[in-house]
mmCIF file of all heavy atoms in Angstrom:
data_model
loop_
_atom_site.group_PDB
_atom_site.id
_atom_site.type_symbol
_atom_site.label_atom_id
_atom_site.label_comp_id
_atom_site.label_asym_id
_atom_site.label_seq_id
_atom_site.Cartn_x
_atom_site.Cartn_y
_atom_site.Cartn_z
ATOM 1 N N LEU N 55 54.456 11.149 -6.700
ATOM 2 C CA LEU N 55 54.320 9.884 -6.012
ATOM 3 C C LEU N 55 55.597 9.043 -6.190
ATOM 4 O O LEU N 55 56.088 8.446 -5.240
ATOM 5 C CB LEU N 55 53.098 9.122 -6.520
ATOM 6 C CG LEU N 55 51.763 9.692 -6.074
ATOM 7 C CD1 LEU N 55 50.620 9.186 -6.979
ATOM 8 C CD2 LEU N 55 51.481 9.388 -4.604
ATOM 9 N N ILE N 56 56.149 9.036 -7.380
ATOM 10 C CA ILE N 56 57.379 8.302 -7.643
ATOM 11 C C ILE N 56 58.517 8.930 -6.832
ATOM 12 O O ILE N 56 59.299 8.226 -6.173
ATOM 13 C CB ILE N 56 57.720 8.273 -9.149
ATOM 14 C CG1 ILE N 56 56.702 7.400 -9.895
ATOM 15 C CG2 ILE N 56 59.130 7.790 -9.396
ATOM 16 C CD1 ILE N 56 56.736 7.523 -11.401
ATOM 17 N N ASP N 57 58.605 10.260 -6.840
ATOM 18 C CA ASP N 57 59.628 10.957 -6.058
ATOM 19 C C ASP N 57 59.489 10.705 -4.574
ATOM 20 O O ASP N 57 60.480 10.726 -3.852
ATOM 21 C CB ASP N 57 59.588 12.468 -6.314
ATOM 22 C CG ASP N 57 60.021 12.875 -7.734
ATOM 23 O OD1 ASP N 57 60.595 11.995 -8.434
ATOM 24 O OD2 ASP N 57 59.792 14.021 -8.113
ATOM 25 N N ALA N 58 58.246 10.457 -4.105
ATOM 26 C CA ALA N 58 58.009 10.170 -2.685
ATOM 27 C C ALA N 58 58.322 8.735 -2.323
ATOM 28 O O ALA N 58 58.231 8.362 -1.162
ATOM 29 C CB ALA N 58 56.554 10.505 -2.327
ATOM 30 N N GLY N 59 58.700 7.930 -3.310
ATOM 31 C CA GLY N 59 59.128 6.550 -3.039
ATOM 32 C C GLY N 59 58.090 5.477 -3.333
ATOM 33 O O GLY N 59 58.306 4.323 -3.038
ATOM 34 N N PHE N 60 56.973 5.844 -3.926
ATOM 35 C CA PHE N 60 55.995 4.821 -4.299
ATOM 36 C C PHE N 60 56.492 4.054 -5.500
ATOM 37 O O PHE N 60 57.088 4.592 -6.390
ATOM 38 C CB PHE N 60 54.643 5.468 -4.631
ATOM 39 C CG PHE N 60 53.875 5.932 -3.435
ATOM 40 C CD1 PHE N 60 54.109 7.207 -2.916
ATOM 41 C CD2 PHE N 60 52.948 5.123 -2.793
ATOM 42 C CE1 PHE N 60 53.408 7.639 -1.799
ATOM 43 C CE2 PHE N 60 52.267 5.545 -1.699
ATOM 44 C CZ PHE N 60 52.498 6.828 -1.190
ATOM 45 N N LYS N 61 56.235 2.767 -5.450
ATOM 46 C CA LYS N 61 56.607 1.895 -6.571
ATOM 47 C C LYS N 61 55.356 1.542 -7.347
ATOM 48 O O LYS N 61 54.241 1.636 -6.858
ATOM 49 C CB LYS N 61 57.224 0.608 -6.029
ATOM 50 C CG LYS N 61 58.325 0.856 -5.010
ATOM 51 C CD LYS N 61 59.648 0.367 -5.484
ATOM 52 C CE LYS N 61 60.766 0.504 -4.479
ATOM 53 N NZ LYS N 61 60.969 1.810 -3.898
ATOM 54 N N ASN N 62 55.508 1.165 -8.596
ATOM 55 C CA ASN N 62 54.396 0.740 -9.420
ATOM 56 C C ASN N 62 53.277 1.815 -9.475
ATOM 57 O O ASN N 62 52.155 1.554 -9.092
ATOM 58 C CB ASN N 62 53.836 -0.616 -8.903
ATOM 59 C CG ASN N 62 52.942 -1.251 -9.935
ATOM 60 O OD1 ASN N 62 53.049 -0.997 -11.134
ATOM 61 N ND2 ASN N 62 52.052 -2.106 -9.469
ATOM 62 N N VAL N 63 53.654 2.997 -9.925
ATOM 63 C CA VAL N 63 52.715 4.083 -10.070
ATOM 64 C C VAL N 63 52.265 4.145 -11.549
ATOM 65 O O VAL N 63 53.116 4.175 -12.447
ATOM 66 C CB VAL N 63 53.344 5.451 -9.643
ATOM 67 C CG1 VAL N 63 52.341 6.582 -9.821
ATOM 68 C CG2 VAL N 63 53.858 5.371 -8.229
ATOM 69 N N LYS N 64 50.935 4.157 -11.768
ATOM 70 C CA LYS N 64 50.418 4.207 -13.119
ATOM 71 C C LYS N 64 49.308 5.233 -13.218
ATOM 72 O O LYS N 64 48.463 5.317 -12.333
ATOM 73 C CB LYS N 64 49.857 2.835 -13.529
ATOM 74 C CG LYS N 64 50.867 1.744 -13.597
ATOM 75 C CD LYS N 64 50.194 0.440 -13.963
ATOM 76 C CE LYS N 64 51.180 -0.713 -13.872
ATOM 77 N NZ LYS N 64 50.500 -1.993 -14.032
ATOM 78 N N ARG N 65 49.294 5.925 -14.323
ATOM 79 C CA ARG N 65 48.171 6.829 -14.657
ATOM 80 C C ARG N 65 47.279 6.105 -15.639
ATOM 81 O O ARG N 65 47.735 5.543 -16.611
ATOM 82 C CB ARG N 65 48.694 8.130 -15.294
ATOM 83 C CG ARG N 65 47.578 9.072 -15.655
ATOM 84 C CD ARG N 65 48.105 10.331 -16.398
ATOM 85 N NE ARG N 65 46.982 10.981 -17.004
ATOM 86 C CZ ARG N 65 46.517 10.724 -18.210
ATOM 87 N NH1 ARG N 65 47.105 9.843 -18.997
ATOM 88 N NH2 ARG N 65 45.454 11.360 -18.691
ATOM 89 N N ALA N 66 45.969 6.145 -15.376
ATOM 90 C CA ALA N 66 45.006 5.494 -16.254
ATOM 91 C C ALA N 66 44.938 6.248 -17.574
ATOM 92 O O ALA N 66 44.793 7.476 -17.569
ATOM 93 C CB ALA N 66 43.645 5.427 -15.594
ATOM 94 N N TRP N 67 45.027 5.547 -18.667
ATOM 95 C CA TRP N 67 44.905 6.184 -19.986
ATOM 96 C C TRP N 67 43.549 6.849 -20.100
ATOM 97 O O TRP N 67 42.527 6.259 -19.789
ATOM 98 C CB TRP N 67 45.118 5.139 -21.083
ATOM 99 C CG TRP N 67 45.097 5.728 -22.462
ATOM 100 C CD1 TRP N 67 46.162 6.276 -23.087
ATOM 101 C CD2 TRP N 67 43.975 5.845 -23.326
ATOM 102 N NE1 TRP N 67 45.763 6.758 -24.338
ATOM 103 C CE2 TRP N 67 44.429 6.509 -24.484
ATOM 104 C CE3 TRP N 67 42.639 5.512 -23.229
ATOM 105 C CZ2 TRP N 67 43.602 6.789 -25.552
ATOM 106 C CZ3 TRP N 67 41.813 5.793 -24.294
ATOM 107 C CH2 TRP N 67 42.303 6.421 -25.433
ATOM 108 N N GLY N 68 43.554 8.107 -20.539
ATOM 109 C CA GLY N 68 42.308 8.831 -20.725
ATOM 110 C C GLY N 68 41.595 9.123 -19.423
ATOM 111 O O GLY N 68 40.389 9.388 -19.421
ATOM 112 N N SER N 69 42.309 9.074 -18.293
ATOM 113 C CA SER N 69 41.707 9.345 -16.967
ATOM 114 C C SER N 69 40.549 8.368 -16.701
ATOM 115 O O SER N 69 39.580 8.710 -16.041
ATOM 116 C CB SER N 69 41.241 10.760 -16.842
ATOM 117 O OG SER N 69 42.300 11.669 -17.072
ATOM 118 N N ASP N 70 40.666 7.172 -17.211
ATOM 119 C CA ASP N 70 39.588 6.168 -17.089
ATOM 120 C C ASP N 70 40.182 4.904 -16.546
ATOM 121 O O ASP N 70 40.922 4.196 -17.244
ATOM 122 C CB ASP N 70 38.937 5.950 -18.475
ATOM 123 C CG ASP N 70 37.714 5.096 -18.415
ATOM 124 O OD1 ASP N 70 37.560 4.291 -17.457
ATOM 125 O OD2 ASP N 70 36.891 5.207 -19.339
ATOM 126 N N GLY N 71 39.844 4.576 -15.301
ATOM 127 C CA GLY N 71 40.393 3.428 -14.626
ATOM 128 C C GLY N 71 40.146 2.104 -15.350
ATOM 129 O O GLY N 71 40.824 1.106 -15.106
ATOM 130 N N ARG N 72 39.152 2.101 -16.241
ATOM 131 C CA ARG N 72 38.878 0.854 -16.975
ATOM 132 C C ARG N 72 40.086 0.418 -17.818
ATOM 133 O O ARG N 72 40.285 -0.768 -18.079
ATOM 134 C CB ARG N 72 37.636 1.015 -17.834
ATOM 135 C CG ARG N 72 36.350 1.102 -16.999
ATOM 136 C CD ARG N 72 35.142 1.338 -17.825
ATOM 137 N NE ARG N 72 35.229 2.704 -18.355
ATOM 138 C CZ ARG N 72 34.183 3.334 -18.913
ATOM 139 N NH1 ARG N 72 33.044 2.729 -19.057
ATOM 140 N NH2 ARG N 72 34.332 4.573 -19.363
ATOM 141 N N SER N 73 40.946 1.411 -18.171
ATOM 142 C CA SER N 73 42.134 1.038 -18.931
ATOM 143 C C SER N 73 43.127 0.267 -18.069
ATOM 144 O O SER N 73 44.040 -0.380 -18.596
ATOM 145 C CB SER N 73 42.815 2.312 -19.497
ATOM 146 O OG SER N 73 43.320 3.122 -18.445
ATOM 147 N N LEU N 74 42.932 0.302 -16.745
ATOM 148 C CA LEU N 74 43.764 -0.471 -15.802
ATOM 149 C C LEU N 74 42.987 -1.654 -15.227
ATOM 150 O O LEU N 74 43.456 -2.296 -14.295
ATOM 151 C CB LEU N 74 44.254 0.428 -14.656
ATOM 152 C CG LEU N 74 45.136 1.617 -15.040
ATOM 153 C CD1 LEU N 74 45.375 2.501 -13.849
ATOM 154 C CD2 LEU N 74 46.421 1.156 -15.656
ATOM 155 N N GLY N 75 41.791 -1.864 -15.752
ATOM 156 C CA GLY N 75 40.946 -2.956 -15.219
ATOM 157 C C GLY N 75 40.247 -2.577 -13.933
ATOM 158 O O GLY N 75 39.854 -3.448 -13.162
ATOM 159 N N LEU N 76 40.057 -1.270 -13.705
ATOM 160 C CA LEU N 76 39.435 -0.785 -12.466
ATOM 161 C C LEU N 76 38.173 -0.021 -12.807
ATOM 162 O O LEU N 76 37.731 0.041 -13.955
ATOM 163 C CB LEU N 76 40.428 0.088 -11.696
ATOM 164 C CG LEU N 76 41.727 -0.611 -11.296
ATOM 165 C CD1 LEU N 76 42.745 0.416 -10.804
ATOM 166 C CD2 LEU N 76 41.451 -1.641 -10.211
ATOM 167 N N GLU N 77 37.599 0.644 -11.834
ATOM 168 C CA GLU N 77 36.393 1.476 -12.023
ATOM 169 C C GLU N 77 36.795 2.736 -12.807
ATOM 170 O O GLU N 77 37.920 3.208 -12.723
ATOM 171 C CB GLU N 77 35.774 1.837 -10.676
ATOM 172 C CG GLU N 77 35.230 0.653 -9.932
ATOM 173 C CD GLU N 77 34.139 -0.084 -10.691
ATOM 174 O OE1 GLU N 77 33.237 0.569 -11.246
ATOM 175 O OE2 GLU N 77 34.204 -1.325 -10.752
ATOM 176 N N PRO N 78 35.826 3.342 -13.527
ATOM 177 C CA PRO N 78 36.132 4.522 -14.358
ATOM 178 C C PRO N 78 36.665 5.733 -13.608
ATOM 179 O O PRO N 78 37.411 6.537 -14.180
ATOM 180 C CB PRO N 78 34.763 4.850 -14.983
ATOM 181 C CG PRO N 78 33.906 3.681 -14.827
ATOM 182 C CD PRO N 78 34.438 2.917 -13.652
ATOM 183 N N ASP N 79 36.322 5.870 -12.313
ATOM 184 C CA ASP N 79 36.742 7.091 -11.603
ATOM 185 C C ASP N 79 38.138 7.025 -11.045
ATOM 186 O O ASP N 79 38.633 7.993 -10.466
ATOM 187 C CB ASP N 79 35.755 7.424 -10.461
ATOM 188 C CG ASP N 79 35.617 6.312 -9.445
ATOM 189 O OD1 ASP N 79 36.087 5.161 -9.694
ATOM 190 O OD2 ASP N 79 35.057 6.578 -8.372
ATOM 191 N N VAL N 80 38.879 5.927 -11.271
ATOM 192 C CA VAL N 80 40.261 5.835 -10.814
ATOM 193 C C VAL N 80 41.181 6.462 -11.870
ATOM 194 O O VAL N 80 41.180 6.053 -13.021
ATOM 195 C CB VAL N 80 40.671 4.362 -10.566
ATOM 196 C CG1 VAL N 80 42.127 4.268 -10.161
ATOM 197 C CG2 VAL N 80 39.763 3.710 -9.509
ATOM 198 N N ASP N 81 41.944 7.486 -11.435
ATOM 199 C CA ASP N 81 42.842 8.187 -12.351
ATOM 200 C C ASP N 81 44.285 7.663 -12.249
ATOM 201 O O ASP N 81 45.000 7.614 -13.234
ATOM 202 C CB ASP N 81 42.855 9.691 -12.078
ATOM 203 C CG ASP N 81 41.505 10.332 -12.337
ATOM 204 O OD1 ASP N 81 40.814 9.907 -13.255
ATOM 205 O OD2 ASP N 81 41.154 11.250 -11.563
ATOM 206 N N ILE N 82 44.700 7.302 -11.022
ATOM 207 C CA ILE N 82 46.090 6.905 -10.760
ATOM 208 C C ILE N 82 46.062 5.739 -9.774
ATOM 209 O O ILE N 82 45.265 5.702 -8.864
ATOM 210 C CB ILE N 82 46.888 8.073 -10.149
ATOM 211 C CG1 ILE N 82 46.906 9.272 -11.090
ATOM 212 C CG2 ILE N 82 48.312 7.652 -9.783
ATOM 213 C CD1 ILE N 82 47.434 10.552 -10.450
ATOM 214 N N VAL N 83 46.987 4.818 -9.977
ATOM 215 C CA VAL N 83 47.213 3.762 -8.987
ATOM 216 C C VAL N 83 48.667 3.855 -8.537
ATOM 217 O O VAL N 83 49.585 3.924 -9.379
ATOM 218 C CB VAL N 83 46.949 2.357 -9.604
ATOM 219 C CG1 VAL N 83 47.305 1.257 -8.615
ATOM 220 C CG2 VAL N 83 45.510 2.247 -10.056
ATOM 221 N N ALA N 84 48.861 3.907 -7.216
ATOM 222 C CA ALA N 84 50.201 3.941 -6.637
ATOM 223 C C ALA N 84 50.254 2.782 -5.654
ATOM 224 O O ALA N 84 49.624 2.843 -4.573
ATOM 225 C CB ALA N 84 50.463 5.269 -5.939
ATOM 226 N N GLU N 85 50.956 1.732 -6.022
ATOM 227 C CA GLU N 85 50.978 0.477 -5.253
ATOM 228 C C GLU N 85 49.525 -0.001 -5.120
ATOM 229 O O GLU N 85 48.894 -0.247 -6.120
ATOM 230 C CB GLU N 85 51.691 0.691 -3.917
ATOM 231 C CG GLU N 85 53.179 1.047 -4.135
ATOM 232 C CD GLU N 85 53.936 1.403 -2.887
ATOM 233 O OE1 GLU N 85 53.411 1.277 -1.773
ATOM 234 O OE2 GLU N 85 55.084 1.834 -3.030
ATOM 235 N N ASP N 86 48.981 -0.070 -3.884
ATOM 236 C CA ASP N 86 47.592 -0.519 -3.729
ATOM 237 C C ASP N 86 46.614 0.612 -3.572
ATOM 238 O O ASP N 86 45.435 0.373 -3.265
ATOM 239 C CB ASP N 86 47.493 -1.462 -2.523
ATOM 240 C CG ASP N 86 48.257 -2.770 -2.728
ATOM 241 O OD1 ASP N 86 48.345 -3.200 -3.894
ATOM 242 O OD2 ASP N 86 48.762 -3.336 -1.739
ATOM 243 N N TYR N 87 47.027 1.855 -3.744
ATOM 244 C CA TYR N 87 46.168 3.025 -3.524
ATOM 245 C C TYR N 87 45.591 3.493 -4.821
ATOM 246 O O TYR N 87 46.301 3.745 -5.797
ATOM 247 C CB TYR N 87 46.975 4.141 -2.834
ATOM 248 C CG TYR N 87 47.491 3.722 -1.494
ATOM 249 C CD1 TYR N 87 48.813 3.335 -1.362
ATOM 250 C CD2 TYR N 87 46.662 3.743 -0.397
ATOM 251 C CE1 TYR N 87 49.305 2.934 -0.116
ATOM 252 C CE2 TYR N 87 47.132 3.338 0.860
ATOM 253 C CZ TYR N 87 48.451 2.941 0.975
ATOM 254 O OH TYR N 87 48.915 2.554 2.191
ATOM 255 N N LYS N 88 44.274 3.636 -4.854
ATOM 256 C CA LYS N 88 43.559 4.146 -6.012
ATOM 257 C C LYS N 88 43.309 5.623 -5.769
ATOM 258 O O LYS N 88 42.755 5.983 -4.725
ATOM 259 C CB LYS N 88 42.254 3.400 -6.228
ATOM 260 C CG LYS N 88 42.435 1.936 -6.516
ATOM 261 C CD LYS N 88 41.103 1.242 -6.616
ATOM 262 C CE LYS N 88 41.277 -0.194 -6.219
ATOM 263 N NZ LYS N 88 40.115 -0.732 -5.564
ATOM 264 N N ILE N 89 43.635 6.453 -6.731
ATOM 265 C CA ILE N 89 43.539 7.901 -6.549
ATOM 266 C C ILE N 89 42.720 8.526 -7.653
ATOM 267 O O ILE N 89 42.897 8.216 -8.828
ATOM 268 C CB ILE N 89 44.970 8.537 -6.554
ATOM 269 C CG1 ILE N 89 45.793 7.928 -5.426
ATOM 270 C CG2 ILE N 89 44.888 10.049 -6.457
ATOM 271 C CD1 ILE N 89 47.288 8.211 -5.546
ATOM 272 N N GLN N 90 41.800 9.388 -7.275
ATOM 273 C CA GLN N 90 41.091 10.203 -8.236
ATOM 274 C C GLN N 90 41.665 11.614 -8.071
ATOM 275 O O GLN N 90 41.696 12.176 -6.983
ATOM 276 C CB GLN N 90 39.582 10.235 -7.963
ATOM 277 C CG GLN N 90 38.855 10.990 -9.062
ATOM 278 C CD GLN N 90 37.356 10.989 -8.860
ATOM 279 O OE1 GLN N 90 36.886 11.533 -7.883
ATOM 280 N NE2 GLN N 90 36.652 10.386 -9.797
ATOM 281 N N ALA N 91 42.111 12.190 -9.159
ATOM 282 C CA ALA N 91 42.757 13.525 -9.127
ATOM 283 C C ALA N 91 41.748 14.569 -9.584
ATOM 284 O O ALA N 91 41.122 14.416 -10.614
ATOM 285 C CB ALA N 91 43.968 13.504 -10.032
ATOM 286 N N LYS N 92 41.649 15.633 -8.797
ATOM 287 C CA LYS N 92 40.778 16.752 -9.148
ATOM 288 C C LYS N 92 41.553 18.045 -8.981
ATOM 289 O O LYS N 92 42.148 18.277 -7.932
ATOM 290 C CB LYS N 92 39.536 16.798 -8.223
ATOM 291 C CG LYS N 92 38.596 15.649 -8.409
ATOM 292 C CD LYS N 92 37.920 15.730 -9.747
ATOM 293 C CE LYS N 92 36.904 14.600 -9.929
ATOM 294 N NZ LYS N 92 36.503 14.457 -11.305
ATOM 295 N N ARG N 93 41.552 18.838 -10.002
ATOM 296 C CA ARG N 93 42.206 20.146 -9.905
ATOM 297 C C ARG N 93 41.127 21.192 -10.172
ATOM 298 O O ARG N 93 40.378 21.098 -11.137
ATOM 299 C CB ARG N 93 43.311 20.262 -10.957
ATOM 300 C CG ARG N 93 44.008 21.592 -10.934
ATOM 301 C CD ARG N 93 45.149 21.577 -11.955
ATOM 302 N NE ARG N 93 45.497 22.948 -12.264
ATOM 303 C CZ ARG N 93 46.405 23.261 -13.159
ATOM 304 N NH1 ARG N 93 47.013 22.331 -13.864
ATOM 305 N NH2 ARG N 93 46.713 24.520 -13.403
ATOM 306 N N ARG N 94 41.050 22.165 -9.279
ATOM 307 C CA ARG N 94 40.042 23.202 -9.389
ATOM 308 C C ARG N 94 40.682 24.571 -9.329
ATOM 309 O O ARG N 94 41.729 24.747 -8.698
ATOM 310 C CB ARG N 94 39.033 23.110 -8.219
ATOM 311 C CG ARG N 94 38.220 21.834 -8.217
ATOM 312 C CD ARG N 94 37.210 21.889 -9.388
ATOM 313 N NE ARG N 94 36.370 20.733 -9.431
ATOM 314 C CZ ARG N 94 36.532 19.730 -10.286
ATOM 315 N NH1 ARG N 94 37.536 19.723 -11.110
ATOM 316 N NH2 ARG N 94 35.679 18.717 -10.317
ATOM 317 N N LYS N 95 40.066 25.501 -9.986
ATOM 318 C CA LYS N 95 40.564 26.893 -9.957
ATOM 319 C C LYS N 95 40.555 27.422 -8.517
ATOM 320 O O LYS N 95 41.489 28.044 -8.072
ATOM 321 C CB LYS N 95 39.678 27.773 -10.850
ATOM 322 C CG LYS N 95 40.169 29.172 -10.993
ATOM 323 C CD LYS N 95 39.336 29.935 -11.986
ATOM 324 C CE LYS N 95 39.908 31.315 -12.231
ATOM 325 N NZ LYS N 95 39.172 32.036 -13.265
ATOM 326 N N VAL N 96 39.501 27.109 -7.787
ATOM 327 C CA VAL N 96 39.367 27.565 -6.409
ATOM 328 C C VAL N 96 38.844 26.393 -5.553
ATOM 329 O O VAL N 96 37.876 25.746 -5.948
ATOM 330 C CB VAL N 96 38.375 28.754 -6.289
ATOM 331 C CG1 VAL N 96 38.195 29.176 -4.844
ATOM 332 C CG2 VAL N 96 38.862 29.919 -7.131
ATOM 333 N N ILE N 97 39.463 26.164 -4.419
ATOM 334 C CA ILE N 97 38.983 25.162 -3.490
ATOM 335 C C ILE N 97 37.958 25.857 -2.572
ATOM 336 O O ILE N 97 38.218 26.971 -2.107
ATOM 337 C CB ILE N 97 40.140 24.582 -2.636
ATOM 338 C CG1 ILE N 97 41.088 23.810 -3.558
ATOM 339 C CG2 ILE N 97 39.598 23.685 -1.534
ATOM 340 C CD1 ILE N 97 42.331 23.311 -2.863
ATOM 341 N N PRO N 98 36.814 25.222 -2.317
ATOM 342 C CA PRO N 98 35.827 25.863 -1.447
ATOM 343 C C PRO N 98 36.456 26.239 -0.098
ATOM 344 O O PRO N 98 37.271 25.512 0.460
ATOM 345 C CB PRO N 98 34.768 24.761 -1.243
ATOM 346 C CG PRO N 98 34.938 23.827 -2.378
ATOM 347 C CD PRO N 98 36.386 23.905 -2.758
ATOM 348 N N LYS N 99 36.042 27.392 0.423
ATOM 349 C CA LYS N 99 36.617 27.885 1.677
ATOM 350 C C LYS N 99 36.494 26.861 2.824
ATOM 351 O O LYS N 99 37.380 26.744 3.657
ATOM 352 C CB LYS N 99 35.978 29.209 2.067
ATOM 353 C CG LYS N 99 36.435 30.348 1.174
ATOM 354 C CD LYS N 99 35.855 31.658 1.586
ATOM 355 C CE LYS N 99 36.410 32.690 0.579
ATOM 356 N NZ LYS N 99 35.778 33.911 0.561
ATOM 357 N N TRP N 100 35.385 26.151 2.861
ATOM 358 C CA TRP N 100 35.169 25.206 3.948
ATOM 359 C C TRP N 100 36.108 24.011 3.886
ATOM 360 O O TRP N 100 36.255 23.277 4.850
ATOM 361 C CB TRP N 100 33.711 24.766 4.040
ATOM 362 C CG TRP N 100 33.215 24.057 2.825
ATOM 363 C CD1 TRP N 100 32.645 24.598 1.722
ATOM 364 C CD2 TRP N 100 33.251 22.651 2.599
ATOM 365 N NE1 TRP N 100 32.324 23.631 0.818
ATOM 366 C CE2 TRP N 100 32.660 22.420 1.320
ATOM 367 C CE3 TRP N 100 33.695 21.555 3.323
ATOM 368 C CZ2 TRP N 100 32.533 21.150 0.781
ATOM 369 C CZ3 TRP N 100 33.554 20.275 2.787
ATOM 370 C CH2 TRP N 100 32.968 20.090 1.534
ATOM 371 N N LEU N 101 36.798 23.819 2.745
ATOM 372 C CA LEU N 101 37.766 22.711 2.604
ATOM 373 C C LEU N 101 39.198 23.165 2.871
ATOM 374 O O LEU N 101 40.090 22.330 2.878
ATOM 375 C CB LEU N 101 37.674 22.122 1.220
ATOM 376 C CG LEU N 101 36.695 20.993 1.007
ATOM 377 C CD1 LEU N 101 36.721 20.504 -0.429
ATOM 378 C CD2 LEU N 101 36.886 19.868 1.958
ATOM 379 N N ARG N 102 39.434 24.440 3.076
ATOM 380 C CA ARG N 102 40.783 24.927 3.285
ATOM 381 C C ARG N 102 41.274 24.525 4.682
ATOM 382 O O ARG N 102 40.518 24.550 5.651
ATOM 383 C CB ARG N 102 40.851 26.420 3.115
ATOM 384 C CG ARG N 102 40.574 26.788 1.660
ATOM 385 C CD ARG N 102 40.834 28.232 1.416
ATOM 386 N NE ARG N 102 40.439 28.521 0.026
ATOM 387 C CZ ARG N 102 39.883 29.657 -0.331
ATOM 388 N NH1 ARG N 102 39.698 30.626 0.535
ATOM 389 N NH2 ARG N 102 39.536 29.825 -1.579
#
Side-chain angles (χ1 to χ4, degrees):
L55 289 162
I56 292 168
D57 291 348
F60 284 87
K61 311 245 184 305
N62 196 24
V63 180
K64 295 178 187 172
R65 179 185 165 271
W67 183 84
S69 304
D70 189 336
R72 290 176 291 193
S73 66
L74 299 173
L76 301 168
E77 295 299 315
D79 59 347
V80 177
D81 296 324
I82 300 168
V83 175
E85 296 173 8
D86 293 330
Y87 299 99
K88 297 176 208 148
I89 300 166
Q90 185 179 64
K92 294 291 182 194
R93 179 177 161 184
R94 295 288 181 258
K95 185 174 185 175
V96 177
I97 295 173
K99 288 182 179 165
W100 62 270
L101 272 179
R102 294 189 184 144

